[in-house]
Amino acid sequence: MAVNMSGEVVLAADRERVWAMLNDPEVLKICIPGCETFERDGENAFRAVAKVKIGPVNARFKGKVNLTDIDAPNSYRISGEGEGGVAGFAKGGAAVRLEPAEGGTRLVYDVEATVGGKIAQLGSRLVNSVAKKNADAFFAKFAEAVGGGTIVATEVEAANVATGGMS
Amino acid sequence: MTSTGIGAPVRRREDFRFITGSGQYVDDISRPGQAYAVFVRSPHAHAIIKNIDLSAARSAPGVLGIFTGNDLAADKIGGLICGWMIHSKDGSPMKVGPHPALATEKVRYVGDHVAVVIAESLNQARDAAELVAVDYETLPAAVDVAAAQNPGQPQIHAEAPNNTVYEWHLGDKEAVDAAFAQAAHVTKLELVNNRLIPNAMEPRAAIGEYDRGQDSYTLYTTSQNPHVARLVLSAFVGIAPEHKLRVIAPDVGGGFGSKIFIYAEETVCVWAARKVGRPVKWTADRTEAFLADAHGRDHVTTAELAVDGSGKMLGLRVKTKANLGAYLSTFSSSVPTYLYAPLLSGQYDIPAIYCEVDGVYTNTAPVDAYRGAGRPEATFVVERLVEVAARELGRDPAEFRMQNFIRSFPHQTPVIMTYDIGDYPTCMSKALELADYANFAERKAESERKGLLRGIGFSAYIEACGIAPSKAVGSLGAGVGLWESAEVRVNPVGTVEVLTGSHSHGQGHETTFAQLVSHRLGIPIDQISIIHGDTDKVQMGMGTYGSRSGAVGMSAISKALDKVVAKATKVAARCMEVPEETVDFNDGVFSARGTNKSMAFGEVALQAYVAHKFDSSEIEPGLKEGSFYDPKNFTFPAGVHIAEVEIDPETGVTRIDRWTAVDDFGTIINPMIVEGQVHGGIAQGVGQAMLEGAVYDASGQLLTASYMDYCMPRADDLPSFNVAMTNTPCPSNPLGIKGCGEAGAIAAPPALINAITNALGHENIAMPATPQAIWRAAQSSMRKMAAE
Amino acid sequence: MYAFDYQRPGSVSEAAALLADGSGAKLLAGGQTLIPTMKQRLASPPLVVDLGGVAELKGIDRAGDRLEIGAMATHAEIAESPVVASAIPGLCQVAEGIGDPHVRNRGTIGGSLANNDPAADYPAAVLALGATLHTNRRGLSADEFFQGLFTTALEEDEILTRISCPVPERFAYAKFPNPASRYAMVGVAVAKGPQGVRVAVTGAGQNGVFRATDMEAALANAFTPDALKGINVDPSLMSTDIHADAPYRAHLVAVMARRAVEAAAA
Amino acid sequence: MTEVTMTVNGESVSADIAPRTLLSQFLREHLRLTGTHVGCDTSQCGACVVHVDGRAVKSCTALAVSCAGSDVVTIEGLAKDGQLHPMQEAFREHHALQCGYCTPGMIMAAVDIVNRKGTELDERTIREELEGNICRCTGYHNIVKAVAAGAAAMSSGEIRQAAE
């Protein structure tokens, strides 16, 4: 099931510092909720393991993360796919853009992700909320790592449903 | 009428075992040494299988075997088939991609079968299945039936360009164009018939077994038609020749169409039993049932009705895209074609009808027959159009229907069917009376005083049951004949065993079929047993679906009983030493006219077996007769359902206040059972209209894969139903039976949507009409009213 | 299900000791969420600690102006309890509307609160009542306890033992059930009590149960349905799923709030 | 493995089982009491309902080990001394079952309704109380009638004939 989410956060650091942190696997590991490992696996490529906990559900996702469309220090696209065993899979990407802003740097992101398997089959009611929660958690941690900031907005768009027609 | 004969509300003989927990469903059966199968299923809607790594799984504890599509291919096990050939308008045969039981190169829907793991215990099989590592290259998915044929959509099967299986049509396009050219009024609707997931309460299950000594297989399976399963598994899949494959469908917990089909799981279980040398059992969990049982409905339709200045219907034009899913299931091709378009005349005299249907592949579960199969879709089109036309013309919807009802029979429609008999105005009048239509306006005013919206909706449905005769269906592309078989075995002391090719999975055949025998032979019902569901006992049969067991299955028994009585009459005549033509048979007694001689049925049976009193060169000993009965025509049950609803416009919550059903099923064997069939059908129709809908997201993930999200009708969603009957006996079979199993599911959806739209004053409501959809429509109606 | 070890301690301290090693043991209260999750293999605790044998977690009592409910009280026990019926009758109705009769016979208030499902009923009731949630080591206000989607203030090895509700002057809960799951698609609890007027909403928010503070302010002025007129709920804070989108949920929050006030004021 | 002892249909049973054994599995696989059915994975359909210490429980959502020491009654234990329970009789008399798969859970739930709500049950109450049991065949119409009649019979000891 698709998740489309966009948002922005103003970070208390200059663009170069934010950019550096966005490319630092150690920082990303700390900020990604439940992340257990985040290791370089080639140029602009990483391997990651993250534990996802949603209420009683516990799943460990293993996968790859790639950085593409790199335009330092302005923007990149971070994308990945992870396998969560019986829980299913998740894949997707985010276009991330940095702009100078009052008091630091504005980070604007636009996420498109899909989840499949049991998570979608059994947990569709929660997918959007969990995605937003994780995005908020990531940026809260990231802002903390950068040295402060505020989440301006996170918006989740309703997933579009193809067939069968409950509306 | 005897207390157990035709027409009596005999309490069901099968119930004792079910109310005491003594039924034997497939999962209740435990075979010595049985192992457990778990299927590895695709989490992707569309992907290339690049590699399957079984090494870790193979070394997991308890694993007896792991197989993939390549193993099936190596054993020359063929794919699953679709048994009905449809030809496109241009004469070309439908375009069908292969349907391997275990996918080989590609997976095509979420839940598609990739591998099977067989282990000592179910948990071990599950553990090992998690270790099967499948490397997928995911592909974009074509999910939306309305768009799947568009250029640039992902191609699901190379054999079917643009995902088009067929572009079929029926009727006279020019005549319809001419009718529309003359029309004073045209009503046009865009309709979606929502996708449903059947959800028989017993999930599908199978146990395959191989006997090395006999070189033969046994398959226990949750089937509505075990003989067809054997035929397909033998002749097409190539498991074993028919005489080496026994198929048993024991107690089956509901089917509703979904257990007609021959699926991958039973195919693999019976094949793998030989590979691992152990019985192999598989039972679906509910999520698997959601993912991989054949779904139902899923049409997108544009429909137009042309009416002249007096309100007379002139023509009907229908264009439908039918979602067939990722593979063609056993009878899927026929459902949106020959089970759909021929019903588009409804109960109305419509001179010209033209229907086009595109059968479309999508990356979703296969779609096939579900209770009603094509006929609910047709009835929804006709009865929504008729209701809306009446409203647009300012006509009372009941009276508008009355004006257009067919009144003389036989009636040839422009879409194949010859309706043999019916009395539609009587049904309507009776329904109007029972529904207290006359006082509806008062009730509506009363609701309004409480701030609630009340609406009433009609559905005058027709269905065609007992698809027949075989020669005709063969000419339409069916791969099988649609007759039924029966064998009546009279035992020497006069008890009777009836072997039938029909299969009961809730319909109560053990009772109704025995009622027929009791009625005809005049013997108590407890001396009769009905045997079905085992290919080693019953020689051949076509099974139970399409409301055919009464009209076709019981007619076969009736024919066999004719032969039994004829032979017994001969035996009785010899025993009583009277001419055969003077012997009458009534209430279980053979009596010689003009004498005081008589013999009870049991005595004659004994004499037939001892063969002491007749010349065996003239009369063969024994009393056992069979029949293969092929009906002359379909049967045409019809009726009127009236739904009345009350809507809370503030929340969209809709309460069904009244439901009136008047049905004409011809001869009724057991009114209690017939009413039960109507109740269940209505509930499923209400489910379709208000509660149920399969939802796939754009990537092909099924979001309604459990009862948390797929809304099953529950007791508090439904009212009690007011059910009544009229009766015009069917002239096309010896018993006058028409068939009642699907009527409710066919009639209910348009009745309810017509009631809801009547309450809202707003036609644009899709099924399922959820509280949210109704609330939104109510808001827009109220805004409209405020503006006026 | 994956294999696990099983322990059935007789006391809270024994149970706490079993959780202490941090290996991911799970408490089994009623099991009505945990067991289905484990059946789907979406949870794999190495150890399940069954609280069914801990007598000190049972019981429902009135203590002065407070209602004290043991964490292992089942929904059915609360629904049928004369003590609850006389103290907070609306809470009986909350319990009676959870799941179905069979689920209510196993599911417990403690299990539900500790799980904090965003569509569960109890969190709204407990938050509106301004209850204190006692654990084996501290007391937490409801406002502290609920921390968003499936998240509570409970530490991994902390056990919810008792829910202490001040008896309100008025309390009611109005629920719009999801037609399929029968969880709350929207549920609104309102209470007027020692802590003033409190309104808590479940099923609707993107981040679980929350307080509707503008409604509280309006109702503090006048505890009548009309006081809520004109208060709109911001759809951007609402969750969306295949059953209900955010604008519909926002609308239902207002409707259910009004109905809850009507019931509470009656 | 854990040793578990409980009373099932009046008889004490013991077995050595894995803790992950559900009560439904224990009944069906260990005791071969296959009248208790499993129809879903999410604790909703109610085909698996049995009584544990006098209360209706979904046996697919209870660990067998949690029921150690309990008194369990299944559909097989409802009839006493060869006499059908009035609720069983009512289900047959009122044609409250078709395929029979949901029936054991439905009957066990119905008896539980009477235990909790008394023998005089109106239609609304019955429909609401059946929230945890799904039937796909009957449309519930006859189940509702049967539960009312069975409840009345549990008080009077007699089954009223169904209205024809």
Side-chain angles (χ1 to χ4, degrees):
Chain A
M1 130 174 227
V3 180
N4 293 302
M5 204 166 39
S6 57
E8 52 186 78
V9 51
V10 176
L11 300 160
D14 65 25
R15 190 156 52 155
E16 280 66 25
R17 177 167 158 74
V18 173
W19 178 257
M21 295 187 76
L22 277 176
N23 284 274
D24 180 345
E26 276 308 307
V27 173
L28 294 174
K29 181 186 164 187
I30 292 164
C31 299
I32 294 169
C35 189
E36 293 175 340
T37 64
F38 199 98
E39 289 158 0
R40 199 169 283 284
D41 184 37
E43 198 184 345
N44 298 320
F46 306 89
R47 289 194 164 275
V49 177
K51 200 170 162 186
V52 176
K53 187 175 176 311
I54 310 161
V57 172
N58 262 308
R60 186 173 268 111
F61 282 77
K62 297 176 186 171
K64 296 178 229 169
V65 177
N66 291 294
L67 304 179
T68 52
D69 302 346
I70 297 170
D71 173 16
N74 301 311
S75 63
Y76 72 21
R77 182 174 171 76
I78 181 166
S79 54
E81 50 185 273
E83 287 290 336
V86 282
F89 65 86
K91 59 185 174 181
V96 178
R97 197 171 79 238
L98 302 180
E99 298 167 354
E102 199 175 312
T105 304
R106 181 188 306 276
L107 184 158
V108 182
Y109 65 92
D110 209 332
V111 178
E112 270 181 39
T114 59
V115 299
K118 270 192 183 163
I119 331 168
Q121 290 152 18
L122 301 173
S124 71
R125 72 180 171 113
L126 300 170
V127 169
N128 280 320
S129 298
V130 170
K132 180 179 183 303
K133 188 183 168 88
N134 282 333
D136 288 347
F138 175 88
F139 285 109
K141 278 273 176 64
F142 191 73
E144 198 179 296
V146 168
T150 35
I151 296 174
V152 179
T154 311
E155 285 205 13
V156 184
E157 281 171 38
N160 50 341
V161 155
T163 184
M166 285 215 274
S167 53
Chain B
M1 180 179 106
T2 65
S3 63
T4 57
I6 290 175
V10 178
R11 299 304 181 259
R12 295 202 327 169
R13 308 164 74 213
E14 40 275 85
D15 285 0
F16 182 82
R17 67 178 186 272
F18 297 135
I19 59 181
T20 55
S22 320
Q24 281 283 294
Y25 301 88
V26 172
D27 191 54
D28 298 340
I29 295 167
S30 195
R31 301 296 301 162
Q34 76 188 8
Y36 297 83
V38 165
F39 287 83
V40 176
R41 294 177 186 275
S42 171
H44 303 289
H46 200 189
I48 294 168
I49 301 173
K50 286 163 66 185
N51 183 45
I52 305 177
D53 180 357
L54 301 177
S55 51
R58 282 220 164 98
S59 56
V63 169
L64 298 168
I66 305 182
F67 305 104
T68 66
N70 292 335
D71 297 308
L72 287 167
D75 271 11
K76 304 207 163 32
I77 298 300
L80 303 172
I81 58 151
C82 177
W84 198 307
M85 172 54 72
I86 297 296
H87 287 86
S88 286
K89 295 175 214 192
D90 64 6
S92 63
M94 65 186 188
K95 298 177 174 62
V96 187
H99 186 182
L102 296 173
T104 46
E105 289 146 22
K106 270 210 318 187
V107 287
R108 293 181 171 87
Y109 68 100
V110 172
D112 202 353
H113 315 70
V114 178
V116 63
V117 177
I118 298 161
E120 295 283 353
S121 77
L122 186 54
N123 273 320
Q124 286 173 330
R126 287 209 173 112
D127 291 342
E130 281 185 37
L131 300 174
V132 173
V134 186
D135 188 5
Y136 295 104
E137 179 187 333
T138 57
L139 301 169
V143 179
D144 181 1
V145 65
Q149 294 169 287
N150 294 346
Q153 283 285 303
Q155 286 294 298
I156 298 165
H157 292 275
E159 293 80 359
N162 301 320
N163 300 319
T164 303
V165 181
Y166 49 71
E167 291 170 303
W168 177 87
H169 69 160
L170 184 69
D172 185 338
K173 183 175 188 303
E174 274 145 39
V176 168
D177 290 345
F180 275 79
Q182 293 170 29
H185 181 84
V186 172
T187 293
K188 183 173 181 180
L189 291 176
E190 308 284 337
L191 298 166
V192 173
N193 205 285
N194 46 326
R195 175 185 275 247
L196 303 178
I197 304 180
N199 274 300
M201 292 318 296
E202 179 206 21
R204 286 190 295 118
I207 307 173
E209 201 168 343
Y210 175 68
D211 180 333
R212 198 167 297 282
Q214 301 286 343
D215 186 31
S216 68
Y217 294 82
T218 302
L219 171 65
Y220 299 83
T221 181
T222 50
S223 175
Q224 299 177 220
N225 45 353
H227 291 88
V228 176
R230 184 178 65 161
L231 174 67
V232 170
L233 291 172
S234 295
F236 298 95
V237 179
I239 297 289
E242 282 162 297
H243 66 295
K244 292 291 187 185
L245 174 59
R246 177 183 186 183
V247 178
I248 300 173
D251 286 331
V252 172
F256 315 110
S258 69
K259 293 173 182 167
I260 298 171
F261 322 119
I262 291 80
Y263 289 93
E265 291 89 352
E266 58 259 30
T267 304
V268 170
C269 281
V270 71
W271 167 79
R274 180 175 184 170
K275 303 295 279 188
V276 300
R278 299 267 290 270
V280 174
K281 182 178 198 171
W282 168 80
T283 303
D285 61 32
R286 184 54 61 183
T287 299
E288 282 184 293
F290 274 103
L291 292 174
D293 285 6
H295 295 181
R297 318 278 194 258
D298 208 345
H299 286 192
V300 175
T301 294
T302 303
E304 296 169 271
L305 178 68
V307 182
D308 76 8
S310 71
K312 168 83 187 73
M313 296 174 193
L314 297 176
L316 181 64
R317 184 153 52 202
V318 178
K319 166 84 192 165
T320 292
K321 289 183 183 233
N323 195 342
L324 298 174
Y327 299 98
L328 292 195
S329 172
T330 316
F331 291 111
S332 59
S333 56
S334 66
V335 176
T337 50
Y338 287 110
L339 297 181
Y340 170 65
L343 276 300
L344 286 170
S345 196
Q347 298 186 3
Y348 310 104
D349 184 4
I350 308 177
I353 297 176
Y354 180 64
C355 177
E356 294 172 280
V357 179
D358 289 357
V360 182
Y361 275 130
T362 61
N363 291 113
T364 63
V367 179
D368 206 323
Y370 167 65
R371 201 170 193 170
R375 290 149 292 173
E377 295 91 318
T379 301
F380 190 68
V381 168
V382 174
E383 288 303 293
R384 284 290 291 135
L385 269 179
V386 168
E387 188 91 11
V388 174
R391 290 171 188 168
E392 287 175 353
L393 293 166
R395 298 279 301 274
D396 176 88
E399 185 260 334
F400 179 62
R401 285 179 170 86
M402 285 282 215
Q403 179 192 354
N404 285 284
F405 277 157
I406 293 162
R407 286 168 191 260
S408 73
F409 296 89
H411 174 86
Q412 176 64 53
T413 72
V415 276
I416 301 177
M417 296 299 189
T418 308
Y419 297 171
D420 49 4
I421 199 163
D423 181 355
Y424 309 143
T426 298
C427 261
M428 175 62 88
S429 305
K430 191 165 178 177
L432 291 174
E433 191 190 320
L434 288 175
D436 190 23
Y437 185 50
N439 292 309
F440 171 71
E442 263 174 48
R443 295 193 293 277
K444 187 174 174 69
E446 178 57 32
S447 296
E448 268 163 24
R449 280 192 283 279
K450 294 184 283 183
L452 303 172
L453 306 173
R454 182 174 284 264
I456 193 163
F458 298 82
S459 172
Y461 74 95
I462 190 158
E463 62 164 321
C465 304
I467 307 172
S470 297
K471 188 176 171 194
V473 295
S475 76
L476 303 179
V480 290
L482 287 168
W483 42 264
E484 194 46 89
S485 80
E487 184 177 319
V488 176
R489 297 178 180 172
V490 181
N491 295 319
V493 291
T495 59
V496 174
E497 290 163 73
V498 176
L499 288 78
T500 170
S502 297
H503 186 275
S504 186
H505 32 277
Q507 294 87 346
H509 295 170
E510 289 168 45
T511 305
T512 49
F513 288 13
Q515 282 180 256
L516 169 63
V517 177
S518 170
H519 189 89
R520 292 288 301 281
L521 299 183
I523 58 175
I525 203 163
D526 59 8
Q527 294 183 14
I528 302 157
S529 63
I530 306 297
I531 293 156
H532 65 91
D534 183 343
T535 61
D536 262 15
K537 294 179 179 168
V538 179
Q539 183 239 335
M540 189 57 199
M542 297 312 299
T544 287
Y545 41 83
S547 306
R548 67 192 303 275
S549 299
V552 190
M554 289 183 81
S555 292
I557 296 172
S558 177
K559 291 281 186 189
L561 287 168
D562 289 346
K563 296 181 190 176
V564 165
V565 171
K567 181 169 179 187
T569 302
K570 280 188 189 180
V571 172
R574 296 294 194 284
C575 294
M576 295 188 285
E577 298 173 318
V578 297
E580 200 182 311
E581 51 284 7
T582 67
V583 176
D584 294 326
F585 180 57
N586 283 307
D587 292 333
V589 177
F590 292 89
S591 51
R593 237 172 291 129
T595 74
N596 60 358
K597 293 179 180 175
S598 69
M599 288 177 79
F601 179 76
E603 293 176 74
V604 176
L606 184 63
Q607 287 304 325
Y609 283 95
V610 297
H612 293 165
K613 298 203 173 157
F614 52 86
D615 185 344
S616 310
S617 67
E618 280 176 46
I619 304 175
E620 280 183 21
L623 194 52
K624 180 184 91 167
E625 298 290 345
S627 171
F628 283 76
Y629 173 74
D630 200 18
K632 289 186 289 201
N633 190 358
F634 291 74
T635 72
F636 297 97
V640 171
H641 286 221
I642 303 178
E644 199 168 315
V645 300
E646 204 174 46
I647 294 172
D648 174 359
E650 194 174 41
T651 58
V653 168
T654 301
R655 183 178 68 84
I656 301 171
D657 185 47
R658 294 165 176 233
W659 197 286
T660 307
V662 178
D663 298 287
D664 179 355
F665 297 133
T667 304
I668 304 259
I669 305 296
N670 183 324
M672 176 191 83
I673 285 175
V674 168
E675 285 179 20
Q677 289 291 314
V678 174
H679 299 156
I682 295 170
Q684 286 180 8
V686 168
Q688 166 158 34
M690 288 178 60
L691 305 168
E692 301 177 41
V695 179
Y696 280 96
D697 76 359
S699 67
Q701 293 292 328
L702 181 65
L703 304 185
T704 50
S706 80
Y707 293 142
M708 295 290 282
D709 290 301
Y710 189 87
C711 186
M712 291 286 277
R714 274 177 266 208
D716 59 357
D717 294 316
L718 297 163
S720 285
F721 310 112
N722 191 1
V723 175
M725 311 281 162
T726 60
N727 178 7
T728 56
C730 176
S732 308
N733 63 62
L735 297 167
I737 293 176
K738 293 187 181 174
C740 63
E742 297 159 293
I746 292 168
L752 196 49
I753 295 298
N754 286 339
I756 291 168
T757 52
N758 176 246
L760 294 171
H762 192 303
E763 298 301 344
N764 189 19
I765 281 277
M767 297 193 291
T770 59
Q772 172 172 288
I774 291 175
W775 169 72
R776 201 148 270 146
Q779 297 307 302
S780 110
S781 296
M782 289 196 297
R783 274 196 300 276
K784 209 171 85 190
M785 277 176 347
E788 281 163 8
Chain C
M1 259 193 264
Y2 298 107
F4 54 84
D5 290 327
Y6 174 84
Q7 293 288 338
R8 191 176 168 90
S11 68
V12 172
S13 56
E14 274 178 63
L18 288 165
L19 295 183
D21 72 351
S23 65
K26 285 294 275 186
L27 292 174
L28 178 69
Q32 302 301 285
T33 299
L34 181 61
I35 292 174
T37 308
M38 289 171 66
K39 281 163 67 180
Q40 294 286 355
R41 298 188 157 215
L42 292 173
S44 49
L47 171 66
V48 168
V49 178
D50 186 345
L51 296 176
V54 182
E56 63 196 285
L57 294 175
K58 303 290 279 185
I60 302 170
D61 296 298
R62 173 84 180 249
D65 58 358
R66 298 191 79 86
L67 179 67
E68 305 286 340
I69 303 174
M72 285 294 285
T74 64
H75 311 328
E77 285 163 356
I78 293 170
E80 293 165 8
S81 162
V83 178
V84 179
S86 79
I88 316 177
L91 195 56
C92 295
Q93 280 152 17
V94 174
E96 202 165 9
I98 299 172
D100 57 53
H102 328 308
V103 167
R104 294 197 283 275
N105 281 333
R106 300 288 296 180
T108 63
I109 186 170
S112 171
L113 293 170
N115 190 42
N116 194 20
D117 187 301
D121 301 296
Y122 275 134
V126 163
L127 186 57
L129 286 166
T132 303
L133 294 97
H134 294 278
T135 75
N136 54 333
R137 54 179 84 129
R138 57 186 167 154
L140 291 155
S141 71
D143 294 286
E144 296 170 292
F145 183 83
F146 298 110
Q147 299 190 343
L149 207 66
F150 290 113
T151 311
T152 68
L154 290 172
E155 301 290 334
E156 284 293 314
D157 58 346
E158 193 172 7
I159 300 173
L160 183 60
T161 55
R162 184 165 50 88
I163 297 89
S164 171
C165 304
V167 174
E169 196 182 312
R170 300 197 176 277
F171 172 80
Y173 177 64
K175 172 177 178 175
F176 191 100
N178 175 314
S181 70
R182 307 289 173 110
Y183 271 77
M185 200 147 90
V186 168
V188 181
V190 297
K192 186 180 179 197
Q195 298 166 41
V197 175
R198 293 168 64 97
V199 179
V201 180
T202 189
Q206 274 180 357
N207 199 21
V209 66
F210 67 94
R211 282 175 63 189
T213 46
D214 44 355
M215 289 187 179
E216 291 178 354
L219 292 167
N221 271 336
F223 194 78
T224 64
D226 283 350
L228 294 174
K229 268 191 185 155
I231 298 182
N232 290 318
V233 180
D234 181 358
S236 74
L237 303 174
M238 299 288 105
S239 65
T240 285
D241 62 15
I242 59 171
H243 303 282
D245 59 22
Y248 182 51
R249 276 199 165 86
H251 167 77
L252 286 178
V253 170
V255 175
M256 292 299 120
R258 200 198 69 226
R259 292 185 182 181
V261 173
E262 279 167 4
Chain D
M1 303 295 267
T2 307
E3 161 99 17
V4 61
T5 300
M6 66 180 87
T7 303
V8 177
N9 298 332
E11 285 181 32
S12 177
V13 294
S14 291
D16 219 14
I17 57 171
R20 61 172 151 176
T21 308
L22 297 165
L23 180 57
S24 54
Q25 292 170 323
F26 180 67
L27 296 169
R28 289 178 55 81
E29 292 161 23
H30 293 258
L31 305 181
R32 297 296 303 151
L33 293 170
T34 56
T36 297
H37 298 149
V38 176
C40 77
D41 327 322
T42 50
S43 198
Q44 276 156 314
C45 81
C48 65
V49 169
V50 301
H51 293 183
V52 176
D53 298 326
R55 311 281 311 211
V57 160
K58 284 177 167 159
S59 64
C60 77
T61 315
L63 298 177
V65 285
S66 293
C67 301
S70 289
D71 186 359
V72 176
V73 179
T74 71
I75 189 69
E76 289 92 343
L78 206 55
K80 290 270 182 293
D81 309 320
Q83 256 325 87
L84 289 180
H85 186 281
M87 195 58 78
Q88 290 172 310
E89 284 283 12
F91 267 62
R92 177 161 66 179
E93 177 61 22
H94 290 269
H95 186 34
L97 59 147
Q98 292 180 23
C99 82
Y101 196 79
C102 76
T103 308
M106 200 65 83
I107 290 176
M108 297 309 285
V111 172
D112 179 67
I113 296 172
V114 180
N115 291 343
R116 289 181 292 110
K117 299 269 168 181
T119 54
E120 280 178 40
L121 298 171
D122 61 29
E123 178 176 346
R124 193 72 251 150
T125 304
I126 295 169
R127 287 186 182 275
E128 282 169 4
E129 290 292 327
L130 288 176
E131 189 176 7
N133 294 80
I134 299 176
C135 169
R136 193 55 150 168
C137 296
T138 64
Y140 305 97
H141 179 105
N142 286 339
I143 292 176
V144 172
K145 285 203 300 189
V147 174
M154 283 169 71
S155 89
S156 70
E158 257 174 56
I159 288 286
R160 196 164 39 82
Q161 280 273 297
E164 304 298 2

